Amino acid sequence: MDTRHNTAHAAAWREHEKRAHSSSGIHHHHSHAPASQHGEGHHLLQVENLSIGFNRYEPQAGLMARKSRVDVIHALNIAVHRGELLALVGASGAGKTLLANTLLGRFEPNACVEGCIWFDGQLQSQKTLAQLRGRCISLVPQSVLALDPLMKVGRQLAGGGRRAGVRGRDSRARTEKQCSLFEHYGLGEAVAGLYPFELSGGMARRVLLCTALMDDPELIIADEPTPGLDLELAVRATGDLRAFVDRGGSVLLITHDIELALRVADRVAVFQGGTVIEETAVENFASPATLRQPFTRALWHALPEHDFAVMPGEQGPALPDEAPEYRNARDRATHAEPAPVLPVDDEEG
Amino acid sequence: MASFLLRNILKFLLLLLATSVLVFVLVSISPLDPVQMNVDQAAYLTMSPEKKAQLAEYWGTNTPLWERYAHWFGDFLRGDLGTSLRFNAPVADVIALRFFNSLALMIVAWILSGVLGFALGIGAAVKRGGFVDRIIKGYCLILAATPAFWLGLVLLIIFSVTLGWFPVGFSVPIGVSSADLTPFDSLRHLILPAATLSVVGVANIALHTREKALDTRESEFFQFAEARGLSTWQAMRQHGLRNLLLPALTLQFAQVAELFGGSVLVEQVFSYPGLGSAAVTAGLGGDAALLAAIALISAALVFLGNLIANILYGVIDPRLRRGRHARAKKDRAGAEDAPS
């Protein structure tokens, strides 16, 4: 994390806070949804100009290889307000999980991370982000594989977390908390005594959510929490996240499913080519006229309930991480050749 | 449960049968002439042909292999392990004496190398890439490349010859009657051979544990534990160790076989009268009955070790323990549902 700009940023921030936020116009590269609140005059989470790159040797250069830097994420801006559910929509393998890990202070060892991350008005470093995880920011992982296969889920929830190794009253309090959370989410007492492999899909999702709620987070980052579910089931499965938001929490939902995002989120950030190209309220997806970027408009047209078609003039730059989901939808509609992809890193092509 | 027992007993018997046959075949095709090997070189040269023939008769060199084996096998079934031709005593007596020497040596080495190796491996994995990791890794790689007998010689030179802290060999002091023998004496004689065996075993276990622990660190549940705010040490304590216990157990019980091999060399170096040195003597001297008995004991030990590991798997891993119950329940439910 580049902290040299700390003072400059603080000044810019004070200047910024003088402006009114009520307008739905664009500031900080995004527009607002009705639910978006600036508690205490700032975003809960704000990422500014974030770049994450890896140094690597040129694959084909042989012995004379020089190190070169590959940016997976560049100049990314994103902001999560209090009391809103922001969906980050992007293709698989585009670096969404990398972003989630970075927000949790879990930088890859060989990554260079530049830019600013603010949480609750404080500029963060890798160290402070690491302190926030399991306290203010919690992760809801993708699957039950994230749980220790050899530990009963009840003990795992009560014993783990930030206050690991607590004894006596604290440990009892955590066990009570785990019980009440399980009760609230309709998980019977017996569930606490099950091992992860014994959970059904639905149970597992609620247990994973409970692991995050154990630590009373202000922000939940949910990384693809509904793998393999069809749209209706996925919308229902994200109902608990929605309820958390309605109680005043904030959620960053990471998904590759634009339809799911439009159904459950307040705002959608479209992640493409390693950056967020448009961050806007779900309402703005009602018509292509309110969308600013050509790619987002193309996305709108590609949706099944719209034209389900490619708009050749409005495709935007074809980038390597374009999701097969979108491309297939367009291909089915037009019988056209798949969009050309750049030769770099084309895992999909 | 009954079928599990039956299957393992059957396996065990087959293993013993195969081992004993193999020993007899190997001894019979050994190029060493037992008569020549078991008498003094000078005595052999001056020996009369009649005497040689008599000795050849004693060692059974002219009896066909199958006859010798059948004879031994018949005795074995009656619980008689035969007579050691080399020691001129019942095999059971020869082994009983040496078994406890070896057992003490191997148990000490087994526990020391297991505990130390596991701890070092975990420590290296948690501090991956750091100073501690490099020290541990370097130490283990050097030791892994060190032959046990050579290390034994070095330890002997340093601690017995130069420093004089420990005796040079044997399991009891020379010239002390067994009545005057104290446990302290036995311990003093045990330390160097046990240390040699352990130190070599540590390297193997530590390197394997380190690899496994690194895999565990990469696993999703470990990463999530860290994402929940646990430090690497905390995550290792809470979630890593119990998941590493299974591979560690497998390794630890597989180590029994390694230890047996190692103890043969180490006992030779330290002139320590254990099973290992008896095996060498029996093998070189063509003493099939003694060699077969030692081979059977080691095969039984290794088999027992693996069996214990298998049973512990079921105790530790809920997926095996509960999964089996769940499957059985499902099967029963399925059987009831199915139309008869």
Side-chain angles (χ1 to χ4, degrees):
Chain A
M1 186 68 42
D2 194 354
T3 50
R4 280 171 300 178
H5 306 307
N6 197 343
T7 37
H9 266 278
W13 187 254
R14 277 194 298 276
E15 189 59 33
H16 174 80
E17 281 307 311
K18 288 179 192 154
R19 279 194 273 159
H21 278 82
S22 52
S23 72
S24 61
I26 289 166
H27 72 284
H28 286 303
H29 318 275
H30 64 251
S31 63
H32 284 159
S36 316
Q37 303 157 25
H38 293 87
E40 292 158 39
H42 46 244
H43 301 125
L44 182 59
L45 173 78
Q46 177 162 2
V47 179
E48 277 189 340
N49 213 11
L50 179 75
S51 295
I52 304 175
F54 293 92
N55 284 323
R56 65 159 196 192
Y57 292 99
E58 301 278 355
Q60 265 99 39
L63 285 174
M64 304 298 287
R66 268 173 311 177
K67 263 191 176 174
S68 67
R69 195 180 133 151
V70 181
D71 272 359
V72 179
I73 287 175
H74 64 88
L76 179 139
N77 295 294
I78 197 170
V80 183
H81 300 79
R82 281 184 193 278
E84 76 171 0
L85 196 160
L86 174 70
L88 180 72
V89 184
S92 316
K96 295 179 307 231
T97 301
L98 179 69
L99 176 64
N101 279 334
T102 305
L103 294 179
L104 291 165
R106 309 183 63 234
F107 295 11
E108 301 284 331
N110 56 338
C112 350
V113 181
E114 287 160 11
C116 294
I117 297 173
W118 307 70
F119 186 82
D120 210 3
Q122 303 290 318
L123 185 61
Q124 303 293 330
S125 66
Q126 170 168 21
K127 209 173 129 199
T128 58
L129 280 173
Q131 286 162 356
L132 285 179
R133 69 178 185 234
R135 272 198 185 128
C136 302
I137 307 180
S138 285
L139 177 75
V140 174
Q142 213 176 68
S143 77
V144 76
L145 289 178
L147 293 179
D148 183 345
L150 302 184
M151 197 189 256
K152 289 176 181 170
V153 292
R155 254 199 76 201
Q156 200 158 164
L157 261 65
R162 168 60 69 178
R163 285 155 290 271
V166 288
R167 285 187 183 79
R169 216 174 50 189
D170 270 4
S171 139
R172 262 199 304 282
R174 275 182 75 81
T175 309
E176 272 164 30
K177 172 133 205 216
Q178 173 256 316
C179 288
S180 69
L181 273 175
F182 270 27
E183 202 184 312
H184 183 263
Y185 284 97
L187 296 161
E189 265 173 50
V191 177
L194 294 180
Y195 287 96
F197 79 101
E198 295 173 303
L199 299 175
S200 72
M203 269 190 221
R205 253 187 304 283
R206 279 172 285 160
V207 167
L208 291 176
L209 180 68
C210 288
T211 56
L213 294 178
M214 278 300 293
D215 299 310
D216 289 320
E218 292 175 60
L219 174 67
I220 287 182
I221 299 177
D223 189 3
E224 300 273 9
T226 58
L229 293 188
D230 70 28
L231 183 60
E232 288 311 317
L233 280 175
V235 169
R236 260 200 283 162
T238 43
D240 292 325
L241 286 176
R242 187 72 247 178
F244 172 71
V245 169
D246 294 340
R247 289 197 301 271
S250 306
V251 170
L252 176 61
L253 171 70
I254 296 177
T255 179
H256 64 270
D257 190 343
I258 178 82
E259 292 179 82
L260 173 69
L262 292 179
R263 286 278 295 275
V264 302
D266 296 305
R267 294 192 308 122
V268 171
V270 180
F271 187 60
Q272 203 243 9
T275 194
V276 169
I277 57 164
E278 180 152 11
E279 187 185 341
T280 187
V282 165
E283 286 76 17
N284 291 341
F285 271 81
S287 137
T290 47
L291 297 171
R292 292 169 53 243
Q293 291 291 326
F295 180 83
T296 326
R297 267 179 246 150
L299 209 56
W300 185 91
H301 286 292
L303 284 172
E305 66 265 32
H306 302 140
D307 320 351
F308 207 28
V310 177
M311 307 300 282
E314 300 200 343
Q315 247 183 57
L319 281 153
D321 51 302
E322 191 179 16
E325 293 92 324
Y326 312 152
R327 213 159 55 205
N328 292 344
R330 283 195 269 108
D331 294 347
R332 275 199 303 275
T334 60
H335 303 287
E337 288 290 306
V341 288
L342 294 179
V344 200
D345 282 343
D346 60 346
E347 295 149 48
E348 326 275 353
Chain B
M1 193 60 205
S3 83
F4 174 80
L5 271 180
L6 207 68
R7 211 172 46 235
N8 276 297
I9 289 172
L10 199 70
K11 267 193 212 165
F12 183 62
L13 294 180
L14 276 176
L15 175 74
L16 294 191
L17 190 71
T19 311
S20 60
V21 170
L22 198 68
V23 167
F24 272 81
V25 169
L26 282 178
V27 168
S28 79
I29 60 177
S30 158
L32 299 173
D33 174 15
V35 178
Q36 195 175 352
M37 288 306 293
N38 285 298
V39 293
D40 201 325
Q41 203 61 33
Y44 185 76
L45 286 175
T46 55
M47 200 179 276
S48 66
E50 294 81 41
K51 186 73 186 164
K52 276 185 193 170
Q54 201 186 344
L55 275 174
E57 185 63 29
Y58 175 75
W59 286 96
T61 34
N62 301 321
T63 329
L65 168 65
W66 67 266
E67 208 178 307
R68 270 183 285 157
Y69 183 72
H71 185 83
W72 176 85
F73 191 67
D75 285 350
F76 180 70
L77 286 186
R78 286 196 303 274
D80 178 4
L81 287 173
T83 308
S84 164
L85 300 173
R86 173 67 197 250
F87 290 90
N88 202 13
V91 166
D93 292 354
V94 177
I95 285 184
L97 189 71
R98 289 162 168 265
F99 184 68
F100 286 101
N101 281 337
S102 272
L103 203 66
L105 180 65
M106 274 162 50
I107 285 181
V108 170
W110 191 66
I111 292 176
L112 266 184
S113 64
V115 172
L116 270 179
F118 191 70
L120 285 180
I122 297 280
V126 170
K127 296 282 171 203
R128 169 181 48 187
F131 182 68
V132 176
D133 182 26
R134 264 179 281 171
I135 294 282
I136 293 177
K137 216 167 57 182
Y139 165 81
C140 290
L141 286 175
I142 289 173
L143 277 179
T146 308
F149 73 89
W150 181 81
L151 187 71
L153 287 175
V154 170
L155 289 185
L156 262 184
I157 291 169
I158 296 176
F159 291 103
S160 300
V161 178
T162 311
L163 295 174
W165 292 357
F166 298 105
V168 179
F170 308 112
S171 66
V172 288
I174 298 165
V176 173
S177 78
S178 58
D180 299 337
L181 192 66
T182 62
F184 177 72
D185 285 330
S186 304
L187 196 68
R188 252 171 55 104
H189 282 81
L190 181 70
I191 287 177
L192 271 193
T196 310
L197 257 187
S198 320
V199 162
V200 172
V202 161
N204 192 6
I205 293 206
L207 285 175
H208 274 98
T209 307
R210 179 179 173 277
E211 277 310 304
K212 279 283 164 199
L214 285 183
D215 286 351
T216 304
R217 275 192 69 175
E218 293 300 315
S219 71
E220 251 181 86
F221 71 82
F222 199 94
Q223 303 259 324
F224 179 56
E226 284 186 328
R228 289 177 72 197
L230 269 69
S231 70
T232 307
W233 267 120
Q234 285 174 327
M236 188 54 87
R237 266 212 321 273
Q238 280 201 30
H239 302 296
L241 290 186
R242 60 175 66 212
N243 280 279
L244 282 167
L245 209 55
L246 287 177
L249 273 178
T250 318
L251 192 62
Q252 187 64 13
F253 282 104
Q255 190 76 2
V256 172
E258 297 259 325
L259 271 181
F260 228 98
S263 76
V264 172
L265 295 171
V266 169
E267 285 175 15
Q268 278 302 108
V269 170
F270 289 94
S271 316
Y272 194 83
L275 281 184
S277 56
V280 174
T281 313
L284 289 177
D287 192 345
L290 181 58
L291 193 60
I294 293 173
L296 289 185
I297 286 181
S298 32
L301 272 182
V302 173
F303 182 88
L304 201 71
N306 287 332
L307 187 70
I308 292 174
N310 268 341
I311 293 173
L312 285 180
Y313 261 50
V315 175
I316 290 171
D317 194 336
R319 285 165 294 189
L320 288 177
R321 174 161 37 96
R322 290 212 187 172
R324 204 180 294 143
H325 285 297
R327 261 203 311 281
K329 240 185 254 171
K330 235 181 257 169
D331 287 350
R332 271 201 298 279
E336 278 157 21
D337 290 345
S340 48

